[in-house]
Amino acid sequence: MASVASVVLCLGGCATDAGAPPNTASTAPAPAVSSMPASPVTDRLEDCMGGAGWDVSRSWSGGIESAEIPSEQLEAYNTSLEVCSESSGWSRMGQVTDEQKRELYEQEVANHACLIEFGIESADPPTRETYLATYQTAEQYYSFQPGFDSLDQASMQEAVATCPPPTWFMNISGFDR
């Protein structure tokens, strides 16, 4: 069964300068609003769950999230999640080919460089062989560790938008359709 992320997030909109005269642009820059990274498989999961009547949205941690499901609706929700996980490809996210693992490795290496440039701690990537041998084990390498552990929610969202963790969004061949 696929897991559902339960991250609560709030995104601030752009505010205007209340002290600026009408019809005059403020000199202060508008706050940046980070965009969630693309994830076709998660988009399909979200669309399917919405089509089944569930109010879900994509999560900054790569899954979907929803309000707490009442216990009397939990079985129906889980049934929809199982069906949608299968039809969207979400259920296959843990079953990647060797070629897809190599794609993820290359993305993790690039993501490591992105995180370092962004000022976030990231352990040096292992060799490709080590990454492949430890994929889906407790030793699997994730470029965002340990750096994300110390970030507040807003900083994490900015970091994810700038340097999307490859295994959270699965932008690899086979998951894009």
Side-chain angles (χ1 to χ4, degrees), residues 112-167:
H112 165 75
C114 179
L115 290 168
I116 295 298
E117 185 175 314
F118 195 66
I120 295 177
E121 184 180 358
S122 174
D124 288 334
T127 65
R128 176 181 291 128
E129 293 74 25
T130 299
Y131 180 84
L132 295 174
T134 60
Y135 189 81
Q136 289 192 322
T137 70
E139 291 82 37
Q140 181 174 345
Y141 173 79
Y142 298 100
S143 54
F144 62 84
Q145 287 181 330
F148 279 17
D149 297 339
S150 63
L151 300 177
D152 62 32
Q153 186 171 348
S155 298
M156 188 197 75
Q157 289 176 2
E158 184 178 2
V160 168
T162 304
C163 306
T167 55

CSV table of all heavy atoms in Angstrom, one decimal, residues 112-167:
chain,number,residue,atom,x,y,z
A,112,HIS,N,23.0,16.8,-5.2
A,112,HIS,CA,24.0,17.1,-4.2
A,112,HIS,C,24.7,18.4,-4.5
A,112,HIS,O,24.8,19.3,-3.6
A,112,HIS,CB,25.1,15.9,-4.1
A,112,HIS,CG,26.3,16.3,-3.4
A,112,HIS,ND1,26.4,16.3,-2.0
A,112,HIS,CD2,27.5,16.6,-3.9
A,112,HIS,CE1,27.6,16.7,-1.7
A,112,HIS,NE2,28.3,16.8,-2.8
A,113,ALA,N,25.1,18.6,-5.7
A,113,ALA,CA,25.8,19.8,-6.1
A,113,ALA,C,24.8,21.0,-6.0
A,113,ALA,O,25.3,22.1,-5.5
A,113,ALA,CB,26.3,19.7,-7.6
A,114,CYS,N,23.6,20.9,-6.3
A,114,CYS,CA,22.6,21.9,-6.2
A,114,CYS,C,22.4,22.3,-4.7
A,114,CYS,O,22.4,23.5,-4.3
A,114,CYS,CB,21.2,21.5,-6.7
A,114,CYS,SG,19.9,22.7,-6.6
A,115,LEU,N,22.3,21.3,-3.8
A,115,LEU,CA,22.2,21.6,-2.4
A,115,LEU,C,23.4,22.3,-1.8
A,115,LEU,O,23.2,23.3,-1.1
A,115,LEU,CB,21.9,20.3,-1.6
A,115,LEU,CG,20.6,19.6,-1.9
A,115,LEU,CD1,20.5,18.2,-1.3
A,115,LEU,CD2,19.4,20.5,-1.3
A,116,ILE,N,24.6,21.9,-2.2
A,116,ILE,CA,25.8,22.5,-1.7
A,116,ILE,C,25.8,24.0,-2.2
A,116,ILE,O,26.1,24.9,-1.4
A,116,ILE,CB,27.0,21.8,-2.2
A,116,ILE,CG1,27.1,20.4,-1.6
A,116,ILE,CG2,28.3,22.5,-1.9
A,116,ILE,CD1,27.2,20.3,0.0
A,117,GLU,N,25.5,24.2,-3.4
A,117,GLU,CA,25.5,25.6,-4.0
A,117,GLU,C,24.4,26.4,-3.3
A,117,GLU,O,24.6,27.6,-3.0
A,117,GLU,CB,25.2,25.5,-5.5
A,117,GLU,CG,25.2,26.9,-6.1
A,117,GLU,CD,25.1,26.8,-7.6
A,117,GLU,OE1,25.7,25.9,-8.3
A,117,GLU,OE2,24.3,27.6,-8.2
A,118,PHE,N,23.3,25.8,-2.9
A,118,PHE,CA,22.2,26.5,-2.2
A,118,PHE,C,22.5,26.7,-0.7
A,118,PHE,O,21.8,27.4,0.0
A,118,PHE,CB,20.9,25.6,-2.3
A,118,PHE,CG,19.7,26.3,-2.0
A,118,PHE,CD1,19.2,27.4,-2.8
A,118,PHE,CD2,18.9,25.9,-0.9
A,118,PHE,CE1,18.0,28.0,-2.5
A,118,PHE,CE2,17.7,26.6,-0.6
A,118,PHE,CZ,17.3,27.6,-1.4
A,119,GLY,N,23.6,26.1,-0.2
A,119,GLY,CA,24.0,26.3,1.2
A,119,GLY,C,23.4,25.3,2.1
A,119,GLY,O,23.4,25.5,3.3
A,120,ILE,N,23.0,24.1,1.6
A,120,ILE,CA,22.5,23.1,2.5
A,120,ILE,C,23.4,21.9,2.5
A,120,ILE,O,24.0,21.5,1.5
A,120,ILE,CB,21.1,22.6,1.9
A,120,ILE,CG1,20.1,23.8,2.0
A,120,ILE,CG2,20.6,21.4,2.7
A,120,ILE,CD1,18.8,23.6,1.5
A,121,GLU,N,23.6,21.4,3.7
A,121,GLU,CA,24.5,20.3,3.9
A,121,GLU,C,24.0,19.1,3.2
A,121,GLU,O,22.9,18.7,3.1
A,121,GLU,CB,24.6,19.9,5.4
A,121,GLU,CG,25.6,18.9,5.8
A,121,GLU,CD,25.6,18.6,7.3
A,121,GLU,OE1,24.9,19.2,8.0
A,121,GLU,OE2,26.4,17.7,7.6
A,122,SER,N,25.0,18.4,2.5
A,122,SER,CA,24.7,17.2,1.8
A,122,SER,C,25.9,16.3,1.8
A,122,SER,O,27.0,16.7,1.5
A,122,SER,CB,24.3,17.5,0.3
A,122,SER,OG,24.1,16.3,-0.5
A,123,ALA,N,25.7,15.0,2.2
A,123,ALA,CA,26.8,14.1,2.2
A,123,ALA,C,27.3,13.8,0.8
A,123,ALA,O,26.5,13.8,-0.1
A,123,ALA,CB,26.4,12.8,2.9
A,124,ASP,N,28.6,13.6,0.7
A,124,ASP,CA,29.1,13.3,-0.6
A,124,ASP,C,28.5,12.0,-1.2
A,124,ASP,O,28.3,11.0,-0.5
A,124,ASP,CB,30.7,13.1,-0.6
A,124,ASP,CG,31.4,14.4,-0.3
A,124,ASP,OD1,30.9,15.5,-0.7
A,124,ASP,OD2,32.5,14.3,0.2
A,125,PRO,N,28.2,12.0,-2.5
A,125,PRO,CA,27.5,10.8,-3.1
A,125,PRO,C,28.5,9.6,-3.1
A,125,PRO,O,29.7,9.8,-3.2
A,125,PRO,CB,27.3,11.3,-4.5
A,125,PRO,CG,27.4,12.7,-4.6
A,125,PRO,CD,28.3,13.1,-3.4
A,126,PRO,N,27.9,8.4,-3.0
A,126,PRO,CA,28.8,7.2,-3.1
A,126,PRO,C,29.1,7.0,-4.6
A,126,PRO,O,28.6,7.7,-5.4
A,126,PRO,CB,27.8,6.2,-2.5
A,126,PRO,CG,26.5,6.6,-2.9
A,126,PRO,CD,26.5,8.1,-2.8
A,127,THR,N,29.8,6.0,-4.8
A,127,THR,CA,30.0,5.5,-6.2
A,127,THR,C,28.7,5.0,-6.8
A,127,THR,O,27.8,4.7,-6.0
A,127,THR,CB,31.0,4.4,-6.3
A,127,THR,OG1,30.5,3.3,-5.6
A,127,THR,CG2,32.4,4.8,-5.7
A,128,ARG,N,28.6,5.0,-8.1
A,128,ARG,CA,27.4,4.5,-8.7
A,128,ARG,C,27.1,3.0,-8.2
A,128,ARG,O,26.0,2.6,-7.9
A,128,ARG,CB,27.5,4.5,-10.2
A,128,ARG,CG,26.2,3.8,-10.9
A,128,ARG,CD,26.3,3.8,-12.4
A,128,ARG,NE,26.1,5.2,-12.9
A,128,ARG,CZ,27.0,5.8,-13.7
A,128,ARG,NH1,28.0,5.1,-14.2
A,128,ARG,NH2,26.8,7.0,-14.1
A,129,GLU,N,28.2,2.2,-8.2
A,129,GLU,CA,28.0,0.8,-7.8
A,129,GLU,C,27.5,0.7,-6.4
A,129,GLU,O,26.6,-0.1,-6.1
A,129,GLU,CB,29.4,0.1,-7.9
A,129,GLU,CG,29.9,0.0,-9.3
A,129,GLU,CD,30.4,1.3,-9.9
A,129,GLU,OE1,30.9,2.2,-9.2
A,129,GLU,OE2,30.3,1.4,-11.2
A,130,THR,N,28.0,1.5,-5.4
A,130,THR,CA,27.5,1.5,-4.1
A,130,THR,C,26.0,2.0,-4.0
A,130,THR,O,25.2,1.3,-3.3
A,130,THR,CB,28.3,2.4,-3.2
A,130,THR,OG1,29.7,1.9,-3.2
A,130,THR,CG2,27.8,2.5,-1.7
A,131,TYR,N,25.7,3.0,-4.8
A,131,TYR,CA,24.3,3.5,-4.8
A,131,TYR,C,23.4,2.3,-5.3
A,131,TYR,O,22.3,2.1,-4.7
A,131,TYR,CB,24.1,4.7,-5.7
A,131,TYR,CG,22.7,5.2,-5.8
A,131,TYR,CD1,22.3,6.1,-4.8
A,131,TYR,CD2,21.9,4.9,-6.8
A,131,TYR,CE1,21.0,6.6,-4.9
A,131,TYR,CE2,20.6,5.3,-6.9
A,131,TYR,CZ,20.1,6.2,-5.9
A,131,TYR,OH,18.8,6.7,-6.0
A,132,LEU,N,23.7,1.7,-6.4
A,132,LEU,CA,22.9,0.6,-6.9
A,132,LEU,C,22.8,-0.5,-5.9
A,132,LEU,O,21.7,-1.1,-5.8
A,132,LEU,CB,23.5,0.1,-8.3
A,132,LEU,CG,23.5,1.2,-9.4
A,132,LEU,CD1,24.2,0.6,-10.6
A,132,LEU,CD2,22.1,1.6,-9.7
A,133,ALA,N,23.9,-0.9,-5.3
A,133,ALA,CA,23.9,-2.0,-4.3
A,133,ALA,C,23.1,-1.7,-3.1
A,133,ALA,O,22.6,-2.6,-2.4
A,133,ALA,CB,25.3,-2.4,-4.0
A,134,THR,N,23.0,-0.4,-2.7
A,134,THR,CA,22.3,-0.1,-1.5
A,134,THR,C,20.9,0.5,-1.7
A,134,THR,O,20.2,0.9,-0.8
A,134,THR,CB,23.1,0.9,-0.6
A,134,THR,OG1,23.3,2.1,-1.4
A,134,THR,CG2,24.4,0.3,-0.2
A,135,TYR,N,20.4,0.5,-3.0
A,135,TYR,CA,19.1,1.1,-3.3
A,135,TYR,C,18.0,0.3,-2.5
A,135,TYR,O,18.0,-0.9,-2.5
A,135,TYR,CB,18.9,1.0,-4.8
A,135,TYR,CG,17.6,1.8,-5.2
A,135,TYR,CD1,17.6,3.1,-5.4
A,135,TYR,CD2,16.4,1.1,-5.4
A,135,TYR,CE1,16.5,3.8,-5.7
A,135,TYR,CE2,15.3,1.8,-5.7
A,135,TYR,CZ,15.3,3.2,-5.9
A,135,TYR,OH,14.2,3.9,-6.2
A,136,GLN,N,17.2,1.0,-1.9
A,136,GLN,CA,16.1,0.5,-1.1
A,136,GLN,C,16.5,-0.3,0.1
A,136,GLN,O,15.9,-1.3,0.6
A,136,GLN,CB,15.1,-0.3,-1.9
A,136,GLN,CG,14.2,0.6,-2.8
A,136,GLN,CD,13.0,-0.1,-3.4
A,136,GLN,OE1,13.1,-1.3,-3.8
A,136,GLN,NE2,11.9,0.6,-3.5
A,137,THR,N,17.7,0.1,0.7
A,137,THR,CA,18.2,-0.5,1.9
A,137,THR,C,18.3,0.7,2.9
A,137,THR,O,18.2,1.9,2.5
A,137,THR,CB,19.5,-1.2,1.8
A,137,THR,OG1,20.5,-0.2,1.5
A,137,THR,CG2,19.5,-2.2,0.7
A,138,ALA,N,18.6,0.4,4.1
A,138,ALA,CA,18.9,1.4,5.1
A,138,ALA,C,20.1,2.3,4.8
A,138,ALA,O,20.2,3.4,5.3
A,138,ALA,CB,19.1,0.8,6.5
A,139,GLU,N,21.0,1.8,4.0
A,139,GLU,CA,22.1,2.6,3.6
A,139,GLU,C,22.0,3.4,2.3
A,139,GLU,O,22.9,4.0,1.8
A,139,GLU,CB,23.3,1.6,3.4
A,139,GLU,CG,23.8,1.0,4.7
A,139,GLU,CD,23.0,-0.2,5.1
A,139,GLU,OE1,22.6,-1.0,4.2
A,139,GLU,OE2,22.8,-0.4,6.3
A,140,GLN,N,20.8,3.4,1.7
A,140,GLN,CA,20.6,4.1,0.4
A,140,GLN,C,21.0,5.6,0.6
A,140,GLN,O,20.6,6.2,1.6
A,140,GLN,CB,19.1,4.0,0.0
A,140,GLN,CG,18.9,4.8,-1.3
A,140,GLN,CD,17.5,4.6,-1.9
A,140,GLN,OE1,16.8,3.7,-1.5
A,140,GLN,NE2,17.1,5.4,-2.9
A,141,TYR,N,21.6,6.1,-0.4
A,141,TYR,CA,22.0,7.5,-0.3
A,141,TYR,C,20.9,8.5,-0.8
A,141,TYR,O,20.2,8.2,-1.8
A,141,TYR,CB,23.2,7.7,-1.3
A,141,TYR,CG,23.6,9.2,-1.5
A,141,TYR,CD1,24.4,9.8,-0.5
A,141,TYR,CD2,23.3,9.9,-2.6
A,141,TYR,CE1,24.8,11.2,-0.6
A,141,TYR,CE2,23.6,11.2,-2.7
A,141,TYR,CZ,24.4,11.9,-1.8
A,141,TYR,OH,24.8,13.2,-1.9
A,142,TYR,N,20.7,9.5,0.0
A,142,TYR,CA,19.7,10.6,-0.4
A,142,TYR,C,20.5,11.9,-0.2
A,142,TYR,O,21.0,12.2,0.8
A,142,TYR,CB,18.5,10.6,0.5
A,142,TYR,CG,17.7,9.3,0.5
A,142,TYR,CD1,17.8,8.3,1.4
A,142,TYR,CD2,16.8,9.1,-0.6
A,142,TYR,CE1,17.0,7.2,1.4
A,142,TYR,CE2,16.0,8.0,-0.6
A,142,TYR,CZ,16.2,7.0,0.4
A,142,TYR,OH,15.4,5.9,0.3
A,143,SER,N,20.6,12.6,-1.3
A,143,SER,CA,21.4,13.8,-1.3
A,143,SER,C,20.9,14.9,-0.3
A,143,SER,O,21.6,15.7,0.2
A,143,SER,CB,21.4,14.5,-2.7
A,143,SER,OG,20.1,14.7,-3.2
A,144,PHE,N,19.6,14.8,0.0
A,144,PHE,CA,19.0,15.8,1.0
A,144,PHE,C,19.3,15.5,2.4
A,144,PHE,O,19.0,16.3,3.3
A,144,PHE,CB,17.5,16.0,0.8
A,144,PHE,CG,16.7,14.7,1.0
A,144,PHE,CD1,16.4,14.4,2.3
A,144,PHE,CD2,16.4,13.9,0.0
A,144,PHE,CE1,15.6,13.2,2.6
A,144,PHE,CE2,15.7,12.7,0.2
A,144,PHE,CZ,15.3,12.4,1.5
A,145,GLN,N,19.9,14.4,2.7
A,145,GLN,CA,20.3,14.1,4.1
A,145,GLN,C,21.7,14.4,4.3
A,145,GLN,O,22.5,14.1,3.5
A,145,GLN,CB,20.0,12.6,4.4
A,145,GLN,CG,18.6,12.3,4.5
A,145,GLN,CD,18.3,10.8,4.8
A,145,GLN,OE1,19.1,9.9,4.5
A,145,GLN,NE2,17.2,10.5,5.5
A,146,PRO,N,22.1,15.0,5.4
A,146,PRO,CA,21.3,15.3,6.6
A,146,PRO,C,20.8,16.8,6.5
A,146,PRO,O,20.1,17.2,7.4
A,146,PRO,CB,22.3,15.2,7.7
A,146,PRO,CG,23.6,15.7,7.1
A,146,PRO,CD,23.5,15.2,5.6
A,147,GLY,N,21.0,17.5,5.4
A,147,GLY,CA,20.6,18.9,5.4
A,147,GLY,C,19.2,19.3,5.6
A,147,GLY,O,19.0,20.3,6.3
A,148,PHE,N,18.2,18.5,5.2
A,148,PHE,CA,16.8,18.9,5.4
A,148,PHE,C,16.4,18.7,6.8
A,148,PHE,O,15.4,19.4,7.2
A,148,PHE,CB,15.9,18.0,4.5
A,148,PHE,CG,15.8,18.5,3.1
A,148,PHE,CD1,16.8,19.3,2.5
A,148,PHE,CD2,14.8,18.0,2.3
A,148,PHE,CE1,16.7,19.7,1.2
A,148,PHE,CE2,14.7,18.4,0.9
A,148,PHE,CZ,15.6,19.3,0.4
A,149,ASP,N,17.1,17.9,7.6
A,149,ASP,CA,16.7,17.7,9.0
A,149,ASP,C,16.7,19.0,9.8
A,149,ASP,O,16.0,19.1,10.8
A,149,ASP,CB,17.7,16.7,9.6
A,149,ASP,CG,17.6,15.3,9.0
A,149,ASP,OD1,16.6,15.0,8.3
A,149,ASP,OD2,18.5,14.5,9.1
A,150,SER,N,17.5,20.0,9.5
A,150,SER,CA,17.6,21.2,10.3
A,150,SER,C,16.8,22.4,9.7
A,150,SER,O,16.8,23.4,10.3
A,150,SER,CB,19.1,21.6,10.4
A,150,SER,OG,19.6,21.9,9.1
A,151,LEU,N,16.1,22.1,8.6
A,151,LEU,CA,15.3,23.2,8.0
A,151,LEU,C,13.9,23.4,8.5
A,151,LEU,O,13.2,22.4,8.8
A,151,LEU,CB,15.2,23.0,6.5
A,151,LEU,CG,16.6,22.9,5.7
A,151,LEU,CD1,16.3,22.6,4.2
A,151,LEU,CD2,17.4,24.2,5.9
A,152,ASP,N,13.5,24.6,8.7
A,152,ASP,CA,12.1,24.9,9.0
A,152,ASP,C,11.3,24.6,7.7
A,152,ASP,O,11.8,24.5,6.6
A,152,ASP,CB,11.9,26.3,9.6
A,152,ASP,CG,12.2,27.4,8.6
A,152,ASP,OD1,12.1,27.3,7.4
A,152,ASP,OD2,12.6,28.5,9.1
A,153,GLN,N,9.9,24.7,7.8
A,153,GLN,CA,9.1,24.3,6.7
A,153,GLN,C,9.3,25.2,5.5
A,153,GLN,O,9.4,24.8,4.4
A,153,GLN,CB,7.6,24.3,7.2
A,153,GLN,CG,6.7,23.8,6.1
A,153,GLN,CD,5.3,23.7,6.6
A,153,GLN,OE1,5.0,23.7,7.8
A,153,GLN,NE2,4.4,23.5,5.7
A,154,ALA,N,9.4,26.5,5.7
A,154,ALA,CA,9.5,27.5,4.6
A,154,ALA,C,10.9,27.2,3.9
A,154,ALA,O,10.9,27.3,2.7
A,154,ALA,CB,9.4,28.9,5.1
A,155,SER,N,11.9,27.0,4.7
A,155,SER,CA,13.2,26.8,4.1
A,155,SER,C,13.3,25.5,3.4
A,155,SER,O,13.9,25.4,2.3
A,155,SER,CB,14.3,26.8,5.2
A,155,SER,OG,14.4,28.1,5.8
A,156,MET,N,12.6,24.5,3.9
A,156,MET,CA,12.6,23.2,3.2
A,156,MET,C,11.8,23.3,1.9
A,156,MET,O,12.3,22.8,0.9
A,156,MET,CB,11.9,22.1,4.1
A,156,MET,CG,12.0,20.7,3.4
A,156,MET,SD,11.0,19.4,4.0
A,156,MET,CE,9.4,19.9,3.2
A,157,GLN,N,10.7,24.0,1.9
A,157,GLN,CA,10.0,24.2,0.6
A,157,GLN,C,10.8,24.9,-0.4
A,157,GLN,O,10.8,24.6,-1.6
A,157,GLN,CB,8.7,24.9,0.9
A,157,GLN,CG,7.7,24.1,1.6
A,157,GLN,CD,6.4,24.8,1.9
A,157,GLN,OE1,6.2,26.0,1.6
A,157,GLN,NE2,5.5,24.1,2.6
A,158,GLU,N,11.5,25.9,0.0
A,158,GLU,CA,12.4,26.7,-0.9
A,158,GLU,C,13.5,25.8,-1.4
A,158,GLU,O,13.8,25.7,-2.6
A,158,GLU,CB,13.0,27.9,-0.2
A,158,GLU,CG,13.8,28.7,-1.2
A,158,GLU,CD,14.4,30.0,-0.5
A,158,GLU,OE1,14.2,30.2,0.7
A,158,GLU,OE2,15.1,30.7,-1.2
A,159,ALA,N,14.1,24.9,-0.6
A,159,ALA,CA,15.1,24.0,-1.0
A,159,ALA,C,14.6,22.9,-1.9
A,159,ALA,O,15.2,22.6,-2.9
A,159,ALA,CB,15.8,23.4,0.3
A,160,VAL,N,13.4,22.4,-1.6
A,160,VAL,CA,12.8,21.4,-2.5
A,160,VAL,C,12.5,22.0,-3.8
A,160,VAL,O,12.7,21.3,-4.9
A,160,VAL,CB,11.5,20.8,-1.8
A,160,VAL,CG1,10.7,20.0,-2.8
A,160,VAL,CG2,11.9,19.9,-0.6
A,161,ALA,N,12.0,23.2,-3.9
A,161,ALA,CA,11.7,23.9,-5.1
A,161,ALA,C,12.9,24.1,-6.0
A,161,ALA,O,12.9,24.0,-7.2
A,161,ALA,CB,10.9,25.2,-4.9
A,162,THR,N,14.0,24.4,-5.3
A,162,THR,CA,15.3,24.7,-6.0
A,162,THR,C,16.0,23.4,-6.3
A,162,THR,O,16.6,23.3,-7.4
A,162,THR,CB,16.2,25.6,-5.1
A,162,THR,OG1,15.4,26.8,-4.8
A,162,THR,CG2,17.4,26.0,-5.8
A,163,CYS,N,16.0,22.5,-5.4
A,163,CYS,CA,16.8,21.2,-5.6
A,163,CYS,C,15.9,20.0,-5.2
A,163,CYS,O,16.0,19.4,-4.2
A,163,CYS,CB,18.0,21.2,-4.7
A,163,CYS,SG,19.1,22.6,-4.8
A,164,PRO,N,15.0,19.7,-6.1
A,164,PRO,CA,14.0,18.6,-5.8
A,164,PRO,C,14.7,17.3,-5.6
A,164,PRO,O,15.5,16.8,-6.4
A,164,PRO,CB,13.1,18.5,-7.1
A,164,PRO,CG,13.5,19.7,-7.9
A,164,PRO,CD,14.8,20.2,-7.5
A,165,PRO,N,14.4,16.6,-4.4
A,165,PRO,CA,14.9,15.3,-4.2
A,165,PRO,C,14.4,14.3,-5.2
A,165,PRO,O,13.2,14.1,-5.4
A,165,PRO,CB,14.4,14.9,-2.8
A,165,PRO,CG,14.1,16.3,-2.1
A,165,PRO,CD,13.6,17.1,-3.3
A,166,PRO,N,15.3,13.6,-5.9
A,166,PRO,CA,14.9,12.8,-7.0
A,166,PRO,C,13.9,11.7,-6.6
A,166,PRO,O,12.9,11.4,-7.4
A,166,PRO,CB,16.2,12.2,-7.5
A,166,PRO,CG,17.2,13.2,-7.2
A,166,PRO,CD,16.8,13.8,-5.9
A,167,THR,N,14.1,11.0,-5.5
A,167,THR,CA,13.2,9.9,-5.1
A,167,THR,C,11.8,10.4,-4.6
A,167,THR,O,10.9,9.6,-4.5
A,167,THR,CB,13.8,9.0,-4.0
A,167,THR,OG1,14.2,9.9,-2.9
A,167,THR,CG2,15.0,8.3,-4.6
